[in-house]
mmCIF file of all heavy atoms in Angstrom:
data_model
loop_
_atom_site.group_PDB
_atom_site.id
_atom_site.type_symbol
_atom_site.label_atom_id
_atom_site.label_comp_id
_atom_site.label_asym_id
_atom_site.label_seq_id
_atom_site.Cartn_x
_atom_site.Cartn_y
_atom_site.Cartn_z
ATOM 1 N N CYS A 18 37.738 27.155 37.933
ATOM 2 C CA CYS A 18 37.329 26.853 36.556
ATOM 3 C C CYS A 18 37.401 28.130 35.719
ATOM 4 O O CYS A 18 37.001 29.198 36.195
ATOM 5 C CB CYS A 18 35.893 26.302 36.566
ATOM 6 S SG CYS A 18 35.305 25.909 34.917
ATOM 7 N N VAL A 19 37.934 28.006 34.530
ATOM 8 C CA VAL A 19 38.019 29.149 33.610
ATOM 9 C C VAL A 19 37.473 28.677 32.268
ATOM 10 O O VAL A 19 37.810 27.577 31.813
ATOM 11 C CB VAL A 19 39.488 29.611 33.447
ATOM 12 C CG1 VAL A 19 39.589 30.743 32.434
ATOM 13 C CG2 VAL A 19 40.064 30.058 34.784
ATOM 14 N N SER A 20 36.611 29.484 31.627
ATOM 15 C CA SER A 20 36.050 29.046 30.351
ATOM 16 C C SER A 20 36.064 30.173 29.328
ATOM 17 O O SER A 20 36.059 31.358 29.680
ATOM 18 C CB SER A 20 34.612 28.554 30.548
ATOM 19 O OG SER A 20 33.770 29.649 30.854
ATOM 20 N N ALA A 21 36.105 29.775 28.067
ATOM 21 C CA ALA A 21 35.940 30.725 26.956
ATOM 22 C C ALA A 21 35.044 30.041 25.930
ATOM 23 O O ALA A 21 35.315 28.917 25.505
ATOM 24 C CB ALA A 21 37.282 31.074 26.333
ATOM 25 N N VAL A 22 33.959 30.720 25.569
ATOM 26 C CA VAL A 22 33.028 30.171 24.578
ATOM 27 C C VAL A 22 33.094 31.046 23.333
ATOM 28 O O VAL A 22 32.640 32.198 23.355
ATOM 29 C CB VAL A 22 31.586 30.108 25.154
ATOM 30 C CG1 VAL A 22 30.610 29.588 24.101
ATOM 31 C CG2 VAL A 22 31.550 29.228 26.395
ATOM 32 N N THR A 23 33.687 30.512 22.294
ATOM 33 C CA THR A 23 33.865 31.198 21.002
ATOM 34 C C THR A 23 34.448 32.611 21.160
ATOM 35 O O THR A 23 33.957 33.570 20.587
ATOM 36 C CB THR A 23 32.546 31.235 20.185
ATOM 37 O OG1 THR A 23 31.534 31.944 20.900
ATOM 38 C CG2 THR A 23 32.057 29.843 19.857
ATOM 39 N N VAL A 24 35.515 32.682 21.949
ATOM 40 C CA VAL A 24 36.229 33.956 22.158
ATOM 41 C C VAL A 24 37.634 33.881 21.541
ATOM 42 O O VAL A 24 38.017 34.729 20.738
ATOM 43 C CB VAL A 24 36.324 34.300 23.656
ATOM 44 C CG1 VAL A 24 37.256 35.484 23.887
ATOM 45 C CG2 VAL A 24 34.946 34.606 24.229
ATOM 46 N N ILE A 25 38.390 32.823 21.875
ATOM 47 C CA ILE A 25 39.801 32.729 21.431
ATOM 48 C C ILE A 25 39.875 32.672 19.899
ATOM 49 O O ILE A 25 40.823 33.169 19.290
ATOM 50 C CB ILE A 25 40.492 31.491 22.055
ATOM 51 C CG1 ILE A 25 40.247 31.438 23.570
ATOM 52 C CG2 ILE A 25 41.977 31.502 21.755
ATOM 53 C CD1 ILE A 25 40.766 32.607 24.347
ATOM 54 N N GLN A 26 38.851 32.090 19.278
ATOM 55 C CA GLN A 26 38.833 31.982 17.808
ATOM 56 C C GLN A 26 38.803 33.350 17.125
ATOM 57 O O GLN A 26 39.098 33.457 15.938
ATOM 58 C CB GLN A 26 37.599 31.180 17.364
ATOM 59 C CG GLN A 26 36.296 31.909 17.685
ATOM 60 C CD GLN A 26 35.052 31.075 17.466
ATOM 61 O OE1 GLN A 26 35.042 29.886 17.734
ATOM 62 N NE2 GLN A 26 34.003 31.705 16.953
ATOM 63 N N HIS A 27 38.452 34.391 17.853
ATOM 64 C CA HIS A 27 38.400 35.740 17.262
ATOM 65 C C HIS A 27 39.695 36.526 17.475
ATOM 66 O O HIS A 27 39.778 37.690 17.082
ATOM 67 C CB HIS A 27 37.222 36.527 17.833
ATOM 68 C CG HIS A 27 35.899 35.961 17.405
ATOM 69 N ND1 HIS A 27 35.522 35.881 16.086
ATOM 70 C CD2 HIS A 27 34.881 35.421 18.116
ATOM 71 C CE1 HIS A 27 34.327 35.324 15.998
ATOM 72 N NE2 HIS A 27 33.918 35.029 17.220
ATOM 73 N N ILE A 28 40.673 35.888 18.115
ATOM 74 C CA ILE A 28 41.947 36.568 18.377
ATOM 75 C C ILE A 28 42.965 36.058 17.355
ATOM 76 O O ILE A 28 43.041 34.849 17.111
ATOM 77 C CB ILE A 28 42.405 36.245 19.824
ATOM 78 C CG1 ILE A 28 41.357 36.771 20.811
ATOM 79 C CG2 ILE A 28 43.767 36.852 20.106
ATOM 80 C CD1 ILE A 28 41.620 36.375 22.241
ATOM 81 N N PRO A 29 43.743 36.930 16.732
ATOM 82 C CA PRO A 29 44.725 36.471 15.735
ATOM 83 C C PRO A 29 45.652 35.403 16.322
ATOM 84 O O PRO A 29 45.993 35.457 17.509
ATOM 85 C CB PRO A 29 45.495 37.746 15.373
ATOM 86 C CG PRO A 29 44.576 38.860 15.719
ATOM 87 C CD PRO A 29 43.760 38.386 16.895
ATOM 88 N N PRO A 30 46.056 34.407 15.505
ATOM 89 C CA PRO A 30 46.794 33.240 16.010
ATOM 90 C C PRO A 30 47.989 33.583 16.892
ATOM 91 O O PRO A 30 48.211 32.943 17.920
ATOM 92 C CB PRO A 30 47.246 32.531 14.732
ATOM 93 C CG PRO A 30 46.275 32.959 13.697
ATOM 94 C CD PRO A 30 45.800 34.336 14.061
ATOM 95 N N GLN A 31 48.752 34.604 16.515
ATOM 96 C CA GLN A 31 49.953 34.921 17.303
ATOM 97 C C GLN A 31 49.592 35.401 18.717
ATOM 98 O O GLN A 31 50.401 35.287 19.637
ATOM 99 C CB GLN A 31 50.856 35.936 16.572
ATOM 100 C CG GLN A 31 50.227 37.277 16.261
ATOM 101 C CD GLN A 31 49.396 37.278 14.967
ATOM 102 O OE1 GLN A 31 49.014 36.223 14.448
ATOM 103 N NE2 GLN A 31 49.097 38.459 14.467
ATOM 104 N N GLU A 32 48.366 35.916 18.903
ATOM 105 C CA GLU A 32 47.923 36.387 20.231
ATOM 106 C C GLU A 32 47.177 35.297 20.998
ATOM 107 O O GLU A 32 46.965 35.420 22.203
ATOM 108 C CB GLU A 32 46.977 37.585 20.050
ATOM 109 C CG GLU A 32 47.656 38.866 19.623
ATOM 110 C CD GLU A 32 48.254 39.585 20.817
ATOM 111 O OE1 GLU A 32 47.517 39.867 21.764
ATOM 112 O OE2 GLU A 32 49.474 39.832 20.796
ATOM 113 N N GLN A 33 46.735 34.257 20.281
ATOM 114 C CA GLN A 33 45.939 33.210 20.938
ATOM 115 C C GLN A 33 46.734 32.518 22.047
ATOM 116 O O GLN A 33 46.193 32.195 23.106
ATOM 117 C CB GLN A 33 45.485 32.168 19.906
ATOM 118 C CG GLN A 33 44.342 32.649 19.026
ATOM 119 C CD GLN A 33 43.903 31.594 18.028
ATOM 120 O OE1 GLN A 33 44.559 30.590 17.839
ATOM 121 N NE2 GLN A 33 42.775 31.850 17.369
ATOM 122 N N VAL A 34 48.030 32.294 21.800
ATOM 123 C CA VAL A 34 48.847 31.577 22.793
ATOM 124 C C VAL A 34 48.919 32.390 24.081
ATOM 125 O O VAL A 34 48.818 31.858 25.188
ATOM 126 C CB VAL A 34 50.261 31.325 22.229
ATOM 127 C CG1 VAL A 34 51.101 30.556 23.228
ATOM 128 C CG2 VAL A 34 50.176 30.577 20.913
ATOM 129 N N ARG A 35 49.071 33.709 23.923
ATOM 130 C CA ARG A 35 49.131 34.587 25.097
ATOM 131 C C ARG A 35 47.809 34.515 25.871
ATOM 132 O O ARG A 35 47.787 34.440 27.102
ATOM 133 C CB ARG A 35 49.417 36.009 24.592
ATOM 134 C CG ARG A 35 49.300 37.075 25.589
ATOM 135 C CD ARG A 35 50.629 37.814 25.803
ATOM 136 N NE ARG A 35 50.489 38.714 26.905
ATOM 137 C CZ ARG A 35 50.448 40.024 26.763
ATOM 138 N NH1 ARG A 35 50.603 40.557 25.563
ATOM 139 N NH2 ARG A 35 50.308 40.792 27.815
ATOM 140 N N ALA A 36 46.690 34.528 25.143
ATOM 141 C CA ALA A 36 45.370 34.472 25.788
ATOM 142 C C ALA A 36 45.208 33.162 26.558
ATOM 143 O O ALA A 36 44.774 33.148 27.719
ATOM 144 C CB ALA A 36 44.276 34.615 24.721
ATOM 145 N N LEU A 37 45.593 32.057 25.919
ATOM 146 C CA LEU A 37 45.461 30.747 26.572
ATOM 147 C C LEU A 37 46.373 30.661 27.794
ATOM 148 O O LEU A 37 45.985 30.119 28.840
ATOM 149 C CB LEU A 37 45.774 29.631 25.566
ATOM 150 C CG LEU A 37 44.762 29.515 24.406
ATOM 151 C CD1 LEU A 37 45.323 28.663 23.275
ATOM 152 C CD2 LEU A 37 43.438 28.935 24.900
ATOM 153 N N SER A 38 47.596 31.225 27.692
ATOM 154 C CA SER A 38 48.526 31.216 28.842
ATOM 155 C C SER A 38 47.924 31.986 30.006
ATOM 156 O O SER A 38 48.073 31.585 31.170
ATOM 157 C CB SER A 38 49.851 31.888 28.506
ATOM 158 O OG SER A 38 50.361 31.422 27.337
ATOM 159 N N GLU A 39 47.261 33.091 29.710
ATOM 160 C CA GLU A 39 46.645 33.889 30.760
ATOM 161 C C GLU A 39 45.539 33.099 31.462
ATOM 162 O O GLU A 39 45.407 33.135 32.688
ATOM 163 C CB GLU A 39 46.052 35.177 30.162
ATOM 164 C CG GLU A 39 47.047 36.299 30.028
ATOM 165 C CD GLU A 39 47.477 36.808 31.394
ATOM 166 O OE1 GLU A 39 46.818 37.700 31.949
ATOM 167 O OE2 GLU A 39 48.492 36.276 31.905
ATOM 168 N N MET A 40 44.743 32.379 30.675
ATOM 169 C CA MET A 40 43.656 31.588 31.267
ATOM 170 C C MET A 40 44.222 30.516 32.193
ATOM 171 O O MET A 40 43.680 30.249 33.265
ATOM 172 C CB MET A 40 42.811 30.953 30.156
ATOM 173 C CG MET A 40 42.072 31.992 29.338
ATOM 174 S SD MET A 40 41.144 31.260 27.984
ATOM 175 C CE MET A 40 39.784 30.515 28.859
ATOM 176 N N VAL A 41 45.340 29.914 31.769
ATOM 177 C CA VAL A 41 45.956 28.867 32.602
ATOM 178 C C VAL A 41 46.602 29.494 33.845
ATOM 179 O O VAL A 41 46.542 28.935 34.944
ATOM 180 C CB VAL A 41 46.983 28.056 31.775
ATOM 181 C CG1 VAL A 41 47.732 27.071 32.662
ATOM 182 C CG2 VAL A 41 46.284 27.322 30.631
ATOM 183 N N ARG A 42 47.173 30.674 33.677
ATOM 184 C CA ARG A 42 47.844 31.343 34.813
ATOM 185 C C ARG A 42 46.868 31.582 35.972
ATOM 186 O O ARG A 42 47.211 31.365 37.133
ATOM 187 C CB ARG A 42 48.425 32.694 34.346
ATOM 188 C CG ARG A 42 49.082 33.509 35.445
ATOM 189 C CD ARG A 42 49.576 34.852 34.961
ATOM 190 N NE ARG A 42 48.529 35.777 34.572
ATOM 191 C CZ ARG A 42 47.726 36.448 35.403
ATOM 192 N NH1 ARG A 42 47.846 36.266 36.706
ATOM 193 N NH2 ARG A 42 46.792 37.270 34.955
ATOM 194 N N VAL A 43 45.633 32.025 35.653
ATOM 195 C CA VAL A 43 44.685 32.375 36.725
ATOM 196 C C VAL A 43 43.945 31.147 37.281
ATOM 197 O O VAL A 43 43.106 31.270 38.174
ATOM 198 C CB VAL A 43 43.670 33.452 36.255
ATOM 199 C CG1 VAL A 43 44.394 34.714 35.833
ATOM 200 C CG2 VAL A 43 42.764 32.945 35.147
ATOM 201 N N LEU A 44 44.252 29.970 36.727
ATOM 202 C CA LEU A 44 43.591 28.730 37.154
ATOM 203 C C LEU A 44 44.381 28.073 38.286
ATOM 204 O O LEU A 44 45.612 28.016 38.235
ATOM 205 C CB LEU A 44 43.550 27.797 35.931
ATOM 206 C CG LEU A 44 42.696 26.550 35.972
ATOM 207 C CD1 LEU A 44 41.229 26.893 36.218
ATOM 208 C CD2 LEU A 44 42.839 25.816 34.628
ATOM 209 N N ARG A 45 43.657 27.570 39.297
ATOM 210 C CA ARG A 45 44.332 26.856 40.393
ATOM 211 C C ARG A 45 44.796 25.480 39.932
ATOM 212 O O ARG A 45 44.138 24.875 39.081
ATOM 213 C CB ARG A 45 43.358 26.645 41.555
ATOM 214 C CG ARG A 45 43.191 27.890 42.337
ATOM 215 C CD ARG A 45 42.396 27.650 43.618
ATOM 216 N NE ARG A 45 41.971 28.954 44.061
ATOM 217 C CZ ARG A 45 40.827 29.220 44.660
ATOM 218 N NH1 ARG A 45 39.977 28.263 44.918
ATOM 219 N NH2 ARG A 45 40.532 30.434 45.017
ATOM 220 N N PRO A 46 45.871 24.944 40.505
ATOM 221 C CA PRO A 46 46.260 23.563 40.183
ATOM 222 C C PRO A 46 45.088 22.620 40.468
ATOM 223 O O PRO A 46 44.393 22.762 41.483
ATOM 224 C CB PRO A 46 47.429 23.299 41.138
ATOM 225 C CG PRO A 46 47.976 24.663 41.435
ATOM 226 C CD PRO A 46 46.804 25.598 41.431
ATOM 227 N N GLY A 47 44.840 21.717 39.536
ATOM 228 C CA GLY A 47 43.689 20.802 39.690
ATOM 229 C C GLY A 47 42.405 21.393 39.126
ATOM 230 O O GLY A 47 41.392 20.690 39.014
ATOM 231 N N GLY A 48 42.416 22.668 38.741
ATOM 232 C CA GLY A 48 41.208 23.319 38.215
ATOM 233 C C GLY A 48 40.977 22.986 36.743
ATOM 234 O O GLY A 48 41.869 22.465 36.068
ATOM 235 N N TYR A 49 39.778 23.326 36.271
ATOM 236 C CA TYR A 49 39.385 22.952 34.905
ATOM 237 C C TYR A 49 39.342 24.155 33.968
ATOM 238 O O TYR A 49 38.881 25.239 34.355
ATOM 239 C CB TYR A 49 38.009 22.284 34.919
ATOM 240 C CG TYR A 49 38.051 20.910 35.530
ATOM 241 C CD1 TYR A 49 37.755 20.723 36.888
ATOM 242 C CD2 TYR A 49 38.412 19.802 34.772
ATOM 243 C CE1 TYR A 49 37.810 19.459 37.461
ATOM 244 C CE2 TYR A 49 38.467 18.541 35.336
ATOM 245 C CZ TYR A 49 38.165 18.378 36.682
ATOM 246 O OH TYR A 49 38.231 17.131 37.240
ATOM 247 N N LEU A 50 39.806 23.909 32.754
ATOM 248 C CA LEU A 50 39.743 24.908 31.685
ATOM 249 C C LEU A 50 38.810 24.364 30.607
ATOM 250 O O LEU A 50 39.029 23.274 30.076
ATOM 251 C CB LEU A 50 41.147 25.115 31.083
ATOM 252 C CG LEU A 50 41.227 25.947 29.809
ATOM 253 C CD1 LEU A 50 40.868 27.397 30.077
ATOM 254 C CD2 LEU A 50 42.632 25.872 29.213
ATOM 255 N N LEU A 51 37.739 25.114 30.308
ATOM 256 C CA LEU A 51 36.771 24.682 29.289
ATOM 257 C C LEU A 51 36.837 25.635 28.102
ATOM 258 O O LEU A 51 36.705 26.858 28.270
ATOM 259 C CB LEU A 51 35.351 24.686 29.869
ATOM 260 C CG LEU A 51 34.253 24.322 28.868
ATOM 261 C CD1 LEU A 51 34.241 22.828 28.584
ATOM 262 C CD2 LEU A 51 32.898 24.770 29.368
ATOM 263 N N LEU A 52 37.034 25.067 26.921
ATOM 264 C CA LEU A 52 37.059 25.881 25.699
ATOM 265 C C LEU A 52 36.032 25.348 24.723
ATOM 266 O O LEU A 52 35.967 24.133 24.497
ATOM 267 C CB LEU A 52 38.424 25.784 25.012
ATOM 268 C CG LEU A 52 39.643 26.385 25.683
ATOM 269 C CD1 LEU A 52 40.875 26.115 24.813
ATOM 270 C CD2 LEU A 52 39.466 27.876 25.891
#
Side-chain angles (χ1 to χ4, degrees):
C18 180
V19 177
S20 70
V22 178
T23 61
V24 171
I25 311 299
Q26 66 189 38
H27 293 299
I28 299 173
Q31 60 276 17
E32 287 278 304
Q33 284 181 349
V34 181
R35 170 118 188 251
L37 294 165
S38 311
E39 275 292 272
M40 294 177 74
V41 174
R42 177 183 67 75
V43 300
L44 192 59
R45 282 189 197 145
Y49 289 95
L50 170 68
L51 177 75
L52 292 178

